[in-house]
PDB file of all heavy atoms in Angstrom:
ATOM      1  N   HIS A 552      86.778 114.119 101.134  1.00  0.00           N
ATOM      2  CA  HIS A 552      87.335 112.789 101.352  1.00  0.00           C
ATOM      3  C   HIS A 552      88.421 112.906 102.419  1.00  0.00           C
ATOM      4  O   HIS A 552      89.578 113.213 102.119  1.00  0.00           O
ATOM      5  CB  HIS A 552      87.885 112.213 100.060  1.00  0.00           C
ATOM      6  CG  HIS A 552      86.836 112.035  98.990  1.00  0.00           C
ATOM      7  ND1 HIS A 552      85.846 111.082  99.085  1.00  0.00           N
ATOM      8  CD2 HIS A 552      86.632 112.689  97.831  1.00  0.00           C
ATOM      9  CE1 HIS A 552      85.067 111.157  98.004  1.00  0.00           C
ATOM     10  NE2 HIS A 552      85.524 112.127  97.244  1.00  0.00           N
ATOM     11  N   ARG A 553      88.045 112.685 103.658  1.00  0.00           N
ATOM     12  CA  ARG A 553      88.970 112.929 104.762  1.00  0.00           C
ATOM     13  C   ARG A 553      90.139 111.957 104.747  1.00  0.00           C
ATOM     14  O   ARG A 553      91.271 112.337 105.060  1.00  0.00           O
ATOM     15  CB  ARG A 553      88.217 112.821 106.093  1.00  0.00           C
ATOM     16  CG  ARG A 553      89.024 113.333 107.269  1.00  0.00           C
ATOM     17  CD  ARG A 553      88.116 113.768 108.400  1.00  0.00           C
ATOM     18  NE  ARG A 553      88.893 114.388 109.465  1.00  0.00           N
ATOM     19  CZ  ARG A 553      89.187 113.791 110.617  1.00  0.00           C
ATOM     20  NH1 ARG A 553      88.757 112.564 110.827  1.00  0.00           N
ATOM     21  NH2 ARG A 553      89.882 114.411 111.544  1.00  0.00           N
ATOM     22  N   LEU A 554      89.893 110.693 104.396  1.00  0.00           N
ATOM     23  CA  LEU A 554      90.977 109.729 104.348  1.00  0.00           C
ATOM     24  C   LEU A 554      92.016 110.118 103.304  1.00  0.00           C
ATOM     25  O   LEU A 554      93.216 109.965 103.521  1.00  0.00           O
ATOM     26  CB  LEU A 554      90.430 108.332 104.070  1.00  0.00           C
ATOM     27  CG  LEU A 554      89.759 107.607 105.245  1.00  0.00           C
ATOM     28  CD1 LEU A 554      89.259 106.251 104.804  1.00  0.00           C
ATOM     29  CD2 LEU A 554      90.728 107.461 106.406  1.00  0.00           C
ATOM     30  N   SER A 555      91.564 110.619 102.160  1.00  0.00           N
ATOM     31  CA  SER A 555      92.502 111.074 101.136  1.00  0.00           C
ATOM     32  C   SER A 555      93.321 112.257 101.637  1.00  0.00           C
ATOM     33  O   SER A 555      94.525 112.354 101.372  1.00  0.00           O
ATOM     34  CB  SER A 555      91.746 111.461  99.857  1.00  0.00           C
ATOM     35  OG  SER A 555      91.045 110.359  99.343  1.00  0.00           O
ATOM     36  N   THR A 556      92.669 113.156 102.368  1.00  0.00           N
ATOM     37  CA  THR A 556      93.387 114.303 102.926  1.00  0.00           C
ATOM     38  C   THR A 556      94.448 113.855 103.922  1.00  0.00           C
ATOM     39  O   THR A 556      95.587 114.347 103.910  1.00  0.00           O
ATOM     40  CB  THR A 556      92.398 115.262 103.606  1.00  0.00           C
ATOM     41  OG1 THR A 556      91.424 115.682 102.658  1.00  0.00           O
ATOM     42  CG2 THR A 556      93.125 116.476 104.161  1.00  0.00           C
ATOM     43  N   LEU A 557      94.095 112.905 104.787  1.00  0.00           N
ATOM     44  CA  LEU A 557      95.069 112.400 105.751  1.00  0.00           C
ATOM     45  C   LEU A 557      96.212 111.676 105.056  1.00  0.00           C
ATOM     46  O   LEU A 557      97.374 111.791 105.469  1.00  0.00           O
ATOM     47  CB  LEU A 557      94.375 111.461 106.741  1.00  0.00           C
ATOM     48  CG  LEU A 557      93.292 112.091 107.632  1.00  0.00           C
ATOM     49  CD1 LEU A 557      92.633 111.021 108.492  1.00  0.00           C
ATOM     50  CD2 LEU A 557      93.862 113.191 108.492  1.00  0.00           C
ATOM     51  N   GLY A 558      95.889 110.943 103.996  1.00  0.00           N
ATOM     52  CA  GLY A 558      96.944 110.285 103.228  1.00  0.00           C
ATOM     53  C   GLY A 558      97.875 111.282 102.564  1.00  0.00           C
ATOM     54  O   GLY A 558      99.088 111.066 102.482  1.00  0.00           O
ATOM     55  N   ASN A 559      97.325 112.399 102.107  1.00  0.00           N
ATOM     56  CA  ASN A 559      98.167 113.441 101.512  1.00  0.00           C
ATOM     57  C   ASN A 559      99.107 114.059 102.540  1.00  0.00           C
ATOM     58  O   ASN A 559     100.216 114.489 102.199  1.00  0.00           O
ATOM     59  CB  ASN A 559      97.289 114.526 100.887  1.00  0.00           C
ATOM     60  CG  ASN A 559      96.622 114.068  99.613  1.00  0.00           C
ATOM     61  OD1 ASN A 559      97.136 113.209  98.908  1.00  0.00           O
ATOM     62  ND2 ASN A 559      95.450 114.616  99.316  1.00  0.00           N
ATOM     63  N   HIS A 560      98.673 114.130 103.791  1.00  0.00           N
ATOM     64  CA  HIS A 560      99.569 114.627 104.837  1.00  0.00           C
ATOM     65  C   HIS A 560     100.802 113.729 104.956  1.00  0.00           C
ATOM     66  O   HIS A 560     101.930 114.222 105.128  1.00  0.00           O
ATOM     67  CB  HIS A 560      98.841 114.666 106.180  1.00  0.00           C
ATOM     68  CG  HIS A 560      97.897 115.820 106.323  1.00  0.00           C
ATOM     69  ND1 HIS A 560      98.200 117.085 105.868  1.00  0.00           N
ATOM     70  CD2 HIS A 560      96.656 115.911 106.873  1.00  0.00           C
ATOM     71  CE1 HIS A 560      97.195 117.898 106.135  1.00  0.00           C
ATOM     72  NE2 HIS A 560      96.245 117.206 106.731  1.00  0.00           N
ATOM     73  N   ILE A 561     100.588 112.421 104.885  1.00  0.00           N
ATOM     74  CA  ILE A 561     101.720 111.494 104.982  1.00  0.00           C
ATOM     75  C   ILE A 561     102.670 111.711 103.820  1.00  0.00           C
ATOM     76  O   ILE A 561     103.900 111.703 103.983  1.00  0.00           O
ATOM     77  CB  ILE A 561     101.217 110.041 105.014  1.00  0.00           C
ATOM     78  CG1 ILE A 561     100.303 109.832 106.223  1.00  0.00           C
ATOM     79  CG2 ILE A 561     102.383 109.068 105.074  1.00  0.00           C
ATOM     80  CD1 ILE A 561      99.704 108.467 106.301  1.00  0.00           C
ATOM     81  N   LEU A 562     102.119 111.920 102.627  1.00  0.00           N
ATOM     82  CA  LEU A 562     102.962 112.150 101.459  1.00  0.00           C
ATOM     83  C   LEU A 562     103.722 113.460 101.575  1.00  0.00           C
ATOM     84  O   LEU A 562     104.923 113.524 101.293  1.00  0.00           O
ATOM     85  CB  LEU A 562     102.094 112.158 100.192  1.00  0.00           C
ATOM     86  CG  LEU A 562     101.375 110.861  99.838  1.00  0.00           C
ATOM     87  CD1 LEU A 562     100.541 111.055  98.587  1.00  0.00           C
ATOM     88  CD2 LEU A 562     102.368 109.736  99.633  1.00  0.00           C
ATOM     89  N   SER A 563     103.041 114.523 101.968  1.00  0.00           N
ATOM     90  CA  SER A 563     103.681 115.835 102.025  1.00  0.00           C
ATOM     91  C   SER A 563     104.752 115.900 103.114  1.00  0.00           C
ATOM     92  O   SER A 563     105.756 116.599 102.951  1.00  0.00           O
ATOM     93  CB  SER A 563     102.631 116.921 102.273  1.00  0.00           C
ATOM     94  OG  SER A 563     101.994 116.729 103.524  1.00  0.00           O
TER      95      SER A 563
END
Side-chain angles (χ1 to χ4, degrees):
H552 298 290
R553 192 156 186 256
L554 283 179
S555 299
T556 302
L557 297 176
N559 287 332
H560 283 320
I561 300 177
L562 296 179
S563 62

